[in-house]
Amino acid sequence: MRILLVEDEHALADTVRRGLKNEGFVVDVAYDGVNGLSAAVDNAYDAILLDLMLPRMNGYDVLKELRQRKVWTPVLMLTAKDGEYDQTDAFDLGADDYLTKPFSFLVLVARIRALIRRGAPARPVIMTLGTLSLDPGSHSVRRGETPISLTAREYGLLHYLMRRHGQIVSKAEILHNVWDPAFEGADNVVEVYIGYLRRKIDVPFGLRTLTTVRGMGYLLSADPMPGSPGAGMPGD
């Protein structure tokens, strides 16, 4: 079983490499994100151990680039950051597991073996709604042939709304599913991000598919056919 370890702390990388070698793994090591990405793209691995805070290219960007290039090798994130949002962002970008430093080597080995048993995930099905498409694998969004650049939070919001398309979704539901069940901030953050999203997926295309249902929530619908009511109207 061949493992790629992307870790910039040389002492830790050497300790993990030697330990995994004793467990029967073949381990390649990269000490920065650029070399880690290159190794992951050019070689076949059973699993990738990817540190979050890396020189030259951070772990988030490495992971995002891997998934955009259709590299589905299971990825276990290794990081000293243990915030809920850090974990959520990692999973949103396509991580398969997450381990916080300092970690038990026995737990690390168990997690690696579990990832390898599951194997590389199947390529996710592209979600479509009218001319809007979302690829969960590469985290890419398009309106027709036009790519749309979204932040991680905007992407998470759109992903949830597309799964609930045609239904009115309340602010509370969005906060629970896109932010965090224990989120304690003001719920107007939803309005702010709905506005951000609308200005990217609707306004440039003269559409109004993401609408506000006053007093109830938000509704994402397929874009109307040319000439039908709502076609060519800006988002409200």
Side-chain angles (χ1 to χ4, degrees):
M1 292 177 285
R2 191 176 182 190
I3 304 295
L4 173 63
L5 171 61
V6 189
E7 170 60 65
D8 64 319
E9 296 181 34
H10 287 240
L12 176 60
D14 187 57
T15 298
V16 172
R17 181 190 61 79
R18 286 188 284 107
L20 292 178
K21 181 178 179 181
N22 291 336
E23 293 291 328
F25 294 96
V26 176
V27 183
D28 294 338
V29 179
Y31 297 105
D32 64 66
V34 172
N35 285 321
L37 175 62
S38 178
V41 170
D42 294 341
N43 301 282
Y45 293 101
D46 294 287
I48 298 171
L49 309 183
L50 180 62
D51 187 32
L52 178 59
M53 304 304 291
L54 293 166
R56 301 182 68 194
M57 187 178 192
N58 67 50
Y60 287 136
D61 290 338
V62 172
L63 179 58
K64 182 178 181 180
E65 186 68 21
L66 285 176
R67 297 316 189 215
Q68 288 179 339
R69 297 192 189 193
K70 316 301 182 186
V71 177
W72 306 115
T73 308
V75 172
L76 171 62
M77 300 294 288
L78 301 174
T79 177
K81 301 180 71 176
D82 61 356
E84 291 178 351
Y85 292 126
D86 300 313
Q87 296 182 40
T88 299
D89 288 342
F91 286 126
D92 281 347
L93 289 173
D96 299 277
D97 204 352
Y98 193 104
L99 196 56
T100 303
K101 300 176 184 177
F103 50 79
S104 160
F105 181 75
L106 292 178
V107 171
L108 173 64
V109 172
R111 295 281 187 90
I112 293 172
R113 294 193 189 281
L115 282 182
I116 293 175
R117 282 196 301 271
R118 293 201 299 265
R123 186 180 188 277
V125 176
I126 295 176
M127 304 171 67
T128 60
L129 183 62
T131 59
L132 187 65
S133 64
L134 181 150
D135 187 338
S138 62
H139 283 70
S140 59
V141 175
R142 309 179 77 88
R143 174 72 80 181
E145 296 301 315
T146 304
I148 299 174
S149 178
L150 301 179
T151 65
R153 190 68 67 188
E154 291 166 352
Y155 173 88
L157 176 57
L158 178 61
H159 188 276
Y160 180 68
L161 291 173
M162 288 190 73
R163 287 192 284 119
R164 298 285 305 276
H165 70 84
Q167 304 174 43
I168 298 173
V169 184
S170 68
K171 287 183 181 179
E173 290 175 296
I174 292 173
L175 284 174
H176 182 86
N177 288 278
V178 180
W179 269 258
D180 184 270
F183 181 77
E184 297 180 352
D187 63 3
N188 66 356
V189 69
V190 175
E191 298 174 25
V192 172
Y193 274 85
I194 287 289
Y196 292 160
L197 193 56
R198 184 179 284 137
R199 286 194 289 272
K200 291 185 177 182
I201 69 169
D202 275 354
V203 175
F205 306 95
L207 297 172
R208 191 178 64 183
T209 64
L210 178 53
T211 56
T212 301
V213 181
R214 197 172 305 278
M216 298 179 68
Y218 304 95
L219 175 67
L220 180 64
S221 307
D223 43 311
M225 296 297 291
S228 64
M233 298 176 65
D236 58 4

XYZ file of all heavy atoms in Angstrom, residues 138-231:
738
model
N -15.384 18.344 -8.326
C -14.406 19.404 -8.563
C -14.783 20.711 -7.883
O -14.024 21.675 -7.930
C -14.271 19.656 -10.074
O -15.497 20.104 -10.623
N -15.972 20.747 -7.233
C -16.470 21.969 -6.612
C -16.525 23.121 -7.612
O -16.208 24.263 -7.287
C -15.616 22.360 -5.393
C -15.924 21.536 -4.186
N -15.593 20.208 -4.098
C -16.558 21.846 -3.023
C -15.998 19.740 -2.920
N -16.592 20.697 -2.256
N -16.922 22.792 -8.829
C -17.042 23.819 -9.865
C -18.512 24.074 -10.164
O -19.356 23.190 -10.053
C -16.315 23.383 -11.146
O -16.853 22.166 -11.641
N -18.810 25.321 -10.534
C -20.177 25.744 -10.830
C -20.170 26.459 -12.168
O -19.260 27.245 -12.458
C -20.720 26.677 -9.719
C -22.093 27.212 -10.075
C -20.765 25.943 -8.379
N -21.198 26.203 -12.978
C -21.305 26.840 -14.280
C -22.744 27.242 -14.534
O -23.683 26.589 -14.100
C -20.829 25.894 -15.402
C -19.472 25.279 -15.186
C -19.095 24.351 -16.333
N -18.678 25.082 -17.508
C -17.422 25.476 -17.725
N -16.482 25.190 -16.845
N -17.103 26.147 -18.813
N -22.901 28.324 -15.264
C -24.204 28.714 -15.813
C -24.042 28.561 -17.318
O -23.354 29.348 -17.964
C -24.562 30.134 -15.426
C -25.826 30.681 -16.078
C -27.094 30.061 -15.531
N -27.527 30.629 -14.250
C -28.610 30.208 -13.606
N -29.341 29.213 -14.112
N -28.950 30.738 -12.437
N -24.628 27.498 -17.879
C -24.356 27.178 -19.270
C -22.887 26.797 -19.411
O -22.396 25.901 -18.716
N -22.180 27.480 -20.275
C -20.743 27.221 -20.464
C -19.873 28.196 -19.678
O -18.654 28.137 -19.740
C -20.387 27.317 -21.960
C -21.055 26.260 -22.830
C -20.677 24.852 -22.382
O -19.487 24.611 -22.130
O -21.583 24.003 -22.280
N -20.505 29.090 -18.911
C -19.756 30.115 -18.184
C -19.416 29.637 -16.775
O -20.328 29.352 -15.983
C -20.575 31.416 -18.085
O -20.949 31.845 -19.402
C -19.762 32.507 -17.398
N -18.125 29.539 -16.431
C -17.764 29.149 -15.062
C -18.078 30.261 -14.079
O -17.991 31.446 -14.408
C -16.253 28.897 -15.154
C -15.794 29.698 -16.324
C -16.952 29.745 -17.289
N -18.474 29.877 -12.867
C -18.804 30.839 -11.811
C -17.908 30.549 -10.616
O -17.873 29.420 -10.113
C -20.281 30.725 -11.400
C -21.192 31.036 -12.592
C -20.593 31.659 -10.233
C -22.670 30.808 -12.311
N -17.185 31.552 -10.152
C -16.279 31.393 -9.018
C -17.021 31.700 -7.715
O -17.573 32.791 -7.558
C -15.076 32.329 -9.168
O -14.215 32.226 -8.050
N -17.047 30.724 -6.793
C -17.716 30.892 -5.510
C -16.747 30.651 -4.368
O -15.816 29.852 -4.496
C -18.887 29.907 -5.377
C -20.010 29.971 -6.410
C -21.050 28.904 -6.110
C -20.653 31.350 -6.438
N -16.971 31.313 -3.244
C -16.220 31.008 -2.034
C -16.736 29.672 -1.484
O -17.782 29.161 -1.911
C -16.408 32.097 -0.970
O -17.786 32.097 -0.556
C -16.039 33.476 -1.519
N -16.021 29.116 -0.509
C -16.441 27.840 0.076
C -17.837 27.944 0.681
O -18.672 27.046 0.537
C -15.435 27.386 1.133
N -18.140 29.055 1.355
C -19.445 29.215 1.982
C -20.537 29.408 0.940
O -21.645 28.864 1.063
C -19.426 30.394 2.957
C -20.656 30.484 3.829
C -20.730 29.331 4.824
N -19.657 29.428 5.805
C -19.378 28.486 6.683
N -20.083 27.370 6.699
N -18.388 28.639 7.551
N -20.255 30.186 -0.102
C -21.232 30.373 -1.180
C -21.517 29.038 -1.867
O -22.672 28.729 -2.191
C -20.708 31.388 -2.192
C -20.647 32.815 -1.661
C -19.823 33.732 -2.544
O -19.173 33.230 -3.492
O -19.808 34.948 -2.274
N -20.453 28.256 -2.074
C -20.631 26.938 -2.696
C -21.510 26.040 -1.822
O -22.416 25.368 -2.314
C -19.265 26.279 -2.923
C -19.381 24.845 -3.398
C -19.485 24.545 -4.748
C -19.406 23.800 -2.481
C -19.621 23.235 -5.179
C -19.539 22.485 -2.909
C -19.642 22.209 -4.254
O -19.784 20.916 -4.671
N -21.237 26.019 -0.518
C -22.030 25.201 0.389
C -23.493 25.606 0.381
O -24.392 24.752 0.413
N -23.746 26.916 0.327
C -25.115 27.420 0.278
C -25.808 26.996 -1.012
O -26.949 26.512 -0.991
C -25.102 28.950 0.402
C -26.451 29.668 0.274
C -27.451 29.158 1.302
C -26.255 31.178 0.411
N -25.117 27.144 -2.139
C -25.719 26.755 -3.416
C -25.968 25.250 -3.463
O -27.019 24.803 -3.942
C -24.815 27.183 -4.573
C -25.327 26.792 -5.967
C -26.685 27.444 -6.247
C -24.310 27.165 -7.044
N -25.026 24.469 -2.967
C -25.179 23.007 -2.953
C -26.447 22.616 -2.186
O -27.230 21.770 -2.637
C -23.939 22.368 -2.327
C -23.902 20.880 -2.434
N -24.539 20.054 -1.533
C -23.310 20.064 -3.344
C -24.334 18.789 -1.869
N -23.597 18.772 -2.974
N -26.656 23.242 -1.026
C -27.834 22.933 -0.220
C -29.113 23.366 -0.935
O -30.101 22.616 -0.982
C -27.738 23.619 1.138
C -28.925 23.337 2.033
C -29.159 22.065 2.541
C -29.828 24.352 2.347
C -30.269 21.808 3.350
C -30.930 24.109 3.151
C -31.140 22.833 3.648
O -32.235 22.581 4.433
N -29.108 24.565 -1.514
C -30.297 25.055 -2.201
C -30.630 24.203 -3.425
O -31.812 23.975 -3.734
C -30.099 26.511 -2.620
C -30.056 27.538 -1.483
C -29.678 28.903 -2.021
C -31.385 27.594 -0.743
N -29.609 23.703 -4.117
C -29.869 22.863 -5.289
C -30.457 21.519 -4.867
O -31.298 20.947 -5.566
C -28.597 22.672 -6.116
C -28.179 23.917 -6.868
S -26.856 23.662 -8.074
C -27.715 22.786 -9.392
N -30.033 21.010 -3.719
C -30.627 19.764 -3.220
C -32.081 19.969 -2.814
O -32.869 19.028 -2.815
C -29.809 19.225 -2.038
C -28.475 18.624 -2.455
C -27.833 17.839 -1.331
N -27.233 18.703 -0.336
C -27.585 18.741 0.930
N -28.561 17.967 1.380
N -26.975 19.545 1.787
N -32.424 21.213 -2.453
C -33.795 21.519 -2.016
C -34.529 22.365 -3.066
O -35.494 23.045 -2.727
C -33.731 22.283 -0.694
C -33.099 21.520 0.474
C -34.026 20.466 1.031
N -35.315 21.046 1.419
C -35.542 21.628 2.600
N -34.567 21.699 3.500
N -36.734 22.125 2.879
N -34.086 22.305 -4.313
C -34.669 23.187 -5.327
C -36.174 22.938 -5.460
O -36.670 21.828 -5.299
C -33.988 22.976 -6.681
C -34.294 21.657 -7.346
N -35.416 21.455 -8.114
C -33.624 20.490 -7.336
C -35.427 20.225 -8.571
N -34.354 19.602 -8.104
N -36.889 24.028 -5.709
C -38.331 23.950 -5.823
C -39.049 24.002 -4.484
O -40.280 24.004 -4.440
N -38.278 24.048 -3.382
C -38.857 24.123 -2.042
C -38.453 25.439 -1.378
O -37.344 25.924 -1.583
C -38.372 22.964 -1.170
C -38.635 21.578 -1.753
C -37.996 20.506 -0.908
O -38.053 20.536 0.322
N -37.368 19.535 -1.557
N -39.323 25.984 -0.570
C -38.974 27.177 0.204
C -38.156 26.727 1.412
O -38.576 25.853 2.167
C -40.233 27.928 0.655
C -41.026 28.403 -0.566
C -39.855 29.112 1.546
C -42.378 29.008 -0.218
N -36.971 27.307 1.562
C -36.055 26.927 2.635
C -35.903 28.109 3.591
O -35.595 29.222 3.165
C -34.683 26.515 2.074
C -33.773 26.037 3.192
C -34.831 25.439 1.015
N -36.112 27.879 4.868
C -36.061 28.963 5.848
C -34.623 29.309 6.226
O -33.698 28.523 5.990
C -36.826 28.568 7.115
O -36.138 27.522 7.803
N -34.449 30.480 6.845
C -33.126 30.870 7.342
C -32.605 29.856 8.353
O -31.422 29.509 8.345
C -33.191 32.250 8.002
C -33.348 33.414 7.052
C -33.335 34.720 7.838
C -33.522 35.916 6.943
N -33.521 37.186 7.722
N -33.499 29.396 9.230
C -33.084 28.444 10.265
C -32.546 27.155 9.642
O -31.541 26.592 10.099
C -34.254 28.133 11.194
N -33.199 26.674 8.592
C -32.737 25.458 7.923
C -31.375 25.675 7.278
O -30.504 24.801 7.333
C -33.752 25.025 6.865
C -35.054 24.496 7.423
C -36.053 24.201 6.328
O -36.483 25.144 5.635
O -36.397 23.021 6.164
N -31.199 26.831 6.673
C -29.925 27.132 6.033
C -28.812 27.224 7.069
O -27.723 26.661 6.880
C -30.027 28.433 5.214
C -30.953 28.217 4.015
C -28.646 28.891 4.750
C -31.257 29.473 3.231
N -29.061 27.928 8.163
C -28.044 28.043 9.209
C -27.668 26.672 9.755
O -26.491 26.383 9.989
C -28.557 28.929 10.348
C -28.582 30.432 10.086
C -29.257 31.149 11.240
C -27.172 30.971 9.874
N -28.656 25.819 9.955
C -28.410 24.492 10.527
C -27.604 23.611 9.581
O -26.721 22.873 10.013
C -29.734 23.813 10.846
C -29.581 22.463 11.473
N -29.425 22.279 12.828
C -29.533 21.216 10.919
C -29.296 20.983 13.082
N -29.361 20.325 11.941
N -27.871 23.705 8.282
C -27.260 22.783 7.325
C -26.019 23.325 6.623
O -25.184 22.547 6.174
C -28.297 22.390 6.266
C -29.363 21.473 6.812
O -29.177 20.274 6.913
N -30.504 22.047 7.178
N -25.910 24.649 6.503
C -24.784 25.232 5.781
C -23.738 25.808 6.729
O -22.545 25.729 6.470
C -25.264 26.314 4.790
C -24.085 26.924 4.033
C -26.277 25.716 3.811
N -24.189 26.380 7.827
C -23.260 26.917 8.806
C -22.956 25.852 9.845
O -22.059 25.045 9.663
C -23.814 28.200 9.427
C -23.399 29.442 8.700
C -22.422 30.324 9.058
C -23.940 29.942 7.455
N -22.321 31.340 8.135
C -23.238 31.132 7.131
C -24.935 29.504 6.585
C -23.507 31.882 5.990
C -25.211 30.235 5.440
C -24.499 31.408 5.150
N -23.749 25.780 10.898
C -23.482 24.818 11.951
C -24.727 24.716 12.815
O -25.390 25.722 13.070
C -22.284 25.295 12.805
C -21.896 24.289 13.859
O -22.441 24.371 14.967
O -21.064 23.422 13.575
N -25.078 23.507 13.295
C -26.270 23.379 14.131
C -26.221 24.246 15.382
O -27.261 24.642 15.900
C -26.283 21.889 14.496
C -25.559 21.233 13.372
C -24.488 22.205 12.971
N -25.010 24.546 15.852
C -24.865 25.338 17.076
C -24.531 26.803 16.784
O -24.092 27.526 17.673
C -23.786 24.720 17.959
N -24.730 27.244 15.543
C -24.398 28.613 15.173
C -25.175 29.596 16.034
O -26.394 29.491 16.172
C -24.712 28.850 13.697
C -24.379 30.232 13.212
C -23.073 30.582 12.942
C -25.380 31.178 13.026
C -22.759 31.857 12.491
C -25.079 32.451 12.574
C -23.757 32.791 12.305
N -24.472 30.577 16.630
C -25.105 31.520 17.550
C -25.066 32.962 17.042
O -25.461 33.876 17.747
C -24.430 31.442 18.928
C -24.587 30.083 19.602
C -23.913 30.021 20.957
O -23.191 30.993 21.288
O -24.100 29.033 21.676
N -24.600 33.154 15.812
C -24.545 34.494 15.267
C -25.906 34.966 14.782
O -26.913 34.248 14.869
N -25.942 36.183 14.250
C -27.194 36.753 13.738
C -27.602 36.040 12.458
O -26.761 35.719 11.613
C -27.006 38.240 13.480
N -28.928 35.822 12.304
C -29.372 35.087 11.127
C -29.343 35.931 9.854
O -29.560 35.403 8.763
C -30.777 34.501 11.335
C -31.854 35.563 11.529
O -31.538 36.770 11.444
O -33.013 35.174 11.763
N -29.042 37.242 9.985
C -28.960 38.052 8.772
C -27.751 37.698 7.914
O -27.627 38.173 6.779
C -28.978 39.548 9.097
C -27.745 40.006 9.865
O -26.898 39.197 10.222
N -27.665 41.302 10.113
N -26.848 36.848 8.445
C -25.726 36.378 7.634
C -26.250 35.598 6.429
O -25.645 35.598 5.359
C -24.755 35.505 8.474
C -25.394 34.181 8.864
C -23.458 35.241 7.704
N -27.407 34.961 6.591
C -28.009 34.229 5.474
C -28.399 35.199 4.362
O -28.127 34.956 3.182
C -29.231 33.415 5.936
C -29.920 32.767 4.739
C -28.816 32.353 6.941
N -29.043 36.318 4.742
C -29.432 37.322 3.752
C -28.223 37.829 2.983
O -28.264 38.015 1.765
C -30.134 38.489 4.426
C -31.425 38.135 5.143
C -31.977 39.323 5.903
O -31.673 40.472 5.522
O -32.703 39.111 6.891
N -27.141 38.059 3.715
C -25.922 38.569 3.094
C -25.412 37.591 2.041
O -25.098 37.980 0.902
C -24.839 38.822 4.167
C -23.503 39.174 3.496
C -25.263 39.947 5.109
N -25.344 36.307 2.400
C -24.804 35.319 1.465
C -25.773 34.995 0.335
O -25.331 34.661 -0.779
C -24.359 34.056 2.212
C -22.948 34.194 2.723
C -22.693 34.810 3.949
C -21.870 33.770 1.960
C -21.394 34.971 4.408
C -20.574 33.923 2.410
C -20.339 34.517 3.634
O -19.048 34.681 4.072
N -27.062 35.086 0.594
C -28.029 34.950 -0.504
C -27.779 36.049 -1.530
O -27.800 35.813 -2.749
C -29.477 35.024 0.026
C -29.840 33.742 0.781
C -30.444 35.277 -1.114
C -30.018 32.510 -0.084
N -27.523 37.260 -1.035
C -27.225 38.370 -1.932
C -25.956 38.132 -2.728
O -25.912 38.377 -3.942
N -24.892 37.667 -2.056
C -23.652 37.350 -2.755
C -23.905 36.336 -3.862
O -23.424 36.484 -4.996
C -22.632 36.745 -1.785
C -22.079 37.679 -0.737
C -21.498 37.173 0.425
C -22.102 39.065 -0.910
C -20.973 38.004 1.393
C -21.588 39.915 0.053
C -21.012 39.366 1.212
O -20.488 40.193 2.175
N -24.646 35.273 -3.514
C -24.889 34.184 -4.460
C -25.732 34.650 -5.643
O -25.436 34.336 -6.800
C -25.579 33.031 -3.734
C -25.649 31.677 -4.446
C -24.268 31.194 -4.844
C -26.332 30.655 -3.549
N -26.754 35.430 -5.345
C -27.640 35.925 -6.395
C -26.866 36.777 -7.401
O -27.106 36.701 -8.617
C -28.768 36.737 -5.754
C -29.827 37.227 -6.715
C -30.891 37.985 -5.961
N -31.779 37.092 -5.229
C -32.198 37.319 -3.993
N -31.779 38.380 -3.324
N -33.030 36.474 -3.406
N -25.921 37.581 -6.892
C -25.156 38.444 -7.790
C -24.180 37.654 -8.661
O -23.627 38.212 -9.625
C -24.401 39.495 -6.971
C -25.311 40.588 -6.422
C -24.539 41.784 -5.904
N -23.834 41.497 -4.672
C -24.368 41.623 -3.465
N -25.627 41.997 -3.326
N -23.642 41.362 -2.377
N -23.976 36.395 -8.340
C -23.069 35.577 -9.158
C -23.807 34.619 -10.093
O -23.376 34.393 -11.228
C -22.121 34.792 -8.251
C -21.116 35.675 -7.534
C -20.118 34.856 -6.735
C -19.073 35.749 -6.080
N -18.053 34.987 -5.321
N -24.913 34.018 -9.623
C -25.574 33.004 -10.444
C -26.749 33.557 -11.254
O -27.192 32.908 -12.207
C -26.062 31.810 -9.595
C -27.217 32.215 -8.671
C -24.916 31.199 -8.802
C -27.905 31.040 -8.003
N -27.258 34.734 -10.890
C -28.443 35.281 -11.560
C -28.182 36.592 -12.285
O -28.397 36.703 -13.489
C -29.573 35.492 -10.545
C -30.405 34.231 -10.318
O -30.178 33.238 -11.027
O -31.253 34.245 -9.409
N -27.767 37.600 -11.537
C -27.694 38.966 -12.079
C -26.885 39.064 -13.373
O -27.358 39.671 -14.343
C -27.150 39.937 -11.011
C -26.952 41.327 -11.610
C -28.123 40.009 -9.828
N -25.680 38.461 -13.465
C -24.923 38.602 -14.717
C -25.617 37.973 -15.919
O -25.277 38.293 -17.068
C -23.606 37.880 -14.403
C -23.518 37.845 -12.915
C -24.923 37.709 -12.448
N -26.588 37.096 -15.665
C -27.250 36.376 -16.752
C -28.682 36.875 -16.988
O -29.431 36.288 -17.763
C -27.265 34.877 -16.437
C -25.894 34.330 -16.146
C -25.437 34.231 -14.826
C -25.040 33.954 -17.178
C -24.165 33.742 -14.548
C -23.769 33.467 -16.908
C -23.330 33.366 -15.589
N -29.046 37.958 -16.289
C -30.372 38.521 -16.450
C -31.473 37.602 -15.977
O -32.578 37.595 -16.540
N -31.206 36.812 -14.934
C -32.166 35.836 -14.430
C -32.613 36.162 -13.018
O -31.999 36.977 -12.327
C -31.547 34.434 -14.461
C -31.174 33.869 -15.839
C -30.405 32.574 -15.696
C -32.423 33.673 -16.693
N -33.683 35.481 -12.593
C -34.163 35.592 -11.222
C -34.597 34.191 -10.766
O -35.776 33.888 -10.635
C -35.323 36.579 -11.124
C -35.687 36.927 -9.671
C -36.804 37.936 -9.599
N -38.052 37.413 -10.143
C -39.177 38.120 -10.242
N -39.196 39.387 -9.876
N -40.269 37.580 -10.738
N -33.624 33.337 -10.519
C -33.937 31.965 -10.109
C -33.859 31.793 -8.596
O -34.483 30.891 -8.045
C -32.978 30.959 -10.767
O -31.634 31.188 -10.308
C -33.012 31.086 -12.285
N -33.098 32.650 -7.931
C -32.983 32.606 -6.472
C -33.800 33.755 -5.914
O -33.397 34.925 -5.987
C -31.518 32.704 -6.043
C -31.244 32.713 -4.532
C -31.916 31.534 -3.842
C -29.742 32.701 -4.265
N -34.970 33.438 -5.372
C -35.906 34.471 -4.942
C -36.173 34.391 -3.448
O -36.019 33.348 -2.815
C -37.245 34.353 -5.695
O -37.779 33.037 -5.502
C -37.050 34.597 -7.180
N -36.594 35.534 -2.912
C -36.982 35.624 -1.503
C -38.491 35.497 -1.391
O -39.232 36.217 -2.079
C -36.537 36.976 -0.908
O -35.126 37.101 -1.028
C -36.934 37.070 0.562
N -38.943 34.581 -0.564
C -40.370 34.434 -0.291
C -40.606 35.107 1.054
O -40.240 34.562 2.107
C -40.797 32.957 -0.252
C -42.302 32.839 0.000
C -40.405 32.258 -1.548
N -41.158 36.282 1.024
C -41.237 37.123 2.210
C -41.871 36.402 3.407
O -42.940 35.808 3.314
C -42.022 38.401 1.895
C -41.821 39.519 2.907
C -42.465 40.802 2.420
N -41.984 41.199 1.101
C -40.851 41.851 0.893
N -40.066 42.135 1.923
N -40.489 42.194 -0.332
N -41.152 36.450 4.525
C -41.645 35.851 5.755
C -41.478 34.341 5.838
O -41.813 33.736 6.858
N -40.944 33.721 4.776
C -40.838 32.264 4.768
C -39.411 31.770 4.515
O -38.936 30.846 5.164
C -41.792 31.673 3.720
C -43.266 31.971 3.988
S -44.361 31.288 2.720
C -44.151 29.530 3.026
N -38.730 32.370 3.556
C -37.375 31.909 3.276
C -36.969 32.163 1.840
O -37.309 33.209 1.266
N -36.301 31.191 1.234
C -35.725 31.375 -0.098
C -36.065 30.190 -0.991
O -36.203 29.054 -0.533
C -34.213 31.557 0.002
C -33.827 32.694 0.915
C -33.520 32.446 2.250
C -33.843 34.007 0.466
C -33.209 33.493 3.111
C -33.535 35.064 1.315
C -33.222 34.795 2.639
O -32.931 35.828 3.488
N -36.160 30.478 -2.281
C -36.561 29.466 -3.250
C -35.619 29.514 -4.444
O -35.411 30.573 -5.035
C -37.997 29.727 -3.708
C -38.559 28.837 -4.809
C -38.726 27.408 -4.308
C -39.895 29.390 -5.308
N -35.034 28.354 -4.783
C -34.192 28.255 -5.972
C -34.945 27.445 -7.016
O -35.346 26.301 -6.762
C -32.859 27.577 -5.647
C -31.891 27.427 -6.825
C -31.446 28.803 -7.340
C -30.676 26.598 -6.425
N -35.134 28.042 -8.198
C -35.875 27.387 -9.272
C -35.018 27.340 -10.528
O -34.008 28.039 -10.644
C -37.169 28.158 -9.579
O -37.937 28.352 -8.406
N -35.448 26.516 -11.482
C -34.766 26.477 -12.777
C -35.000 27.787 -13.505
O -36.039 28.435 -13.339
C -35.291 25.306 -13.605
N -34.033 28.212 -14.317
C -34.209 29.443 -15.065
C -35.312 29.249 -16.110
O -35.451 28.188 -16.702
C -32.908 29.892 -15.724
C -32.146 28.746 -16.369
O -31.960 27.718 -15.686
O -31.734 28.872 -17.528
N -36.128 30.304 -16.321
C -37.250 30.201 -17.253
C -36.789 30.162 -18.701
O -35.684 30.597 -19.029
C -38.064 31.474 -16.956
C -37.031 32.446 -16.477
C -36.035 31.619 -15.687
N -37.626 29.614 -19.529
C -37.336 29.616 -20.974
C -37.418 31.046 -21.491
O -38.177 31.874 -20.970
C -38.360 28.750 -21.707
C -38.315 27.281 -21.337
S -36.746 26.508 -21.785
C -36.881 26.539 -23.566
N -36.639 31.376 -22.524
C -36.688 32.727 -23.090
C -38.117 33.113 -23.475
O -38.857 32.316 -24.056
C -35.797 32.619 -24.348
C -34.852 31.503 -24.025
C -35.670 30.523 -23.211
N -38.510 34.323 -23.082
C -39.834 34.808 -23.402
C -40.893 34.506 -22.367
O -42.013 35.032 -22.439
N -40.572 33.645 -21.385
C -41.539 33.316 -20.339
C -41.426 34.312 -19.203
O -40.438 35.030 -19.101
C -41.311 31.892 -19.829
O -40.033 31.799 -19.221
N -42.425 34.376 -18.327
C -42.388 35.326 -17.195
C -41.137 35.094 -16.345
O -40.829 33.961 -15.987
C -43.665 34.983 -16.413
C -44.585 34.415 -17.439
C -43.707 33.648 -18.372
N -40.426 36.159 -16.030
C -39.238 36.045 -15.206
C -37.959 36.014 -16.028
O -36.880 36.243 -15.498
N -38.067 35.718 -17.325
C -36.863 35.674 -18.142
C -36.326 37.083 -18.339
O -37.074 38.021 -18.608
C -37.172 35.041 -19.502
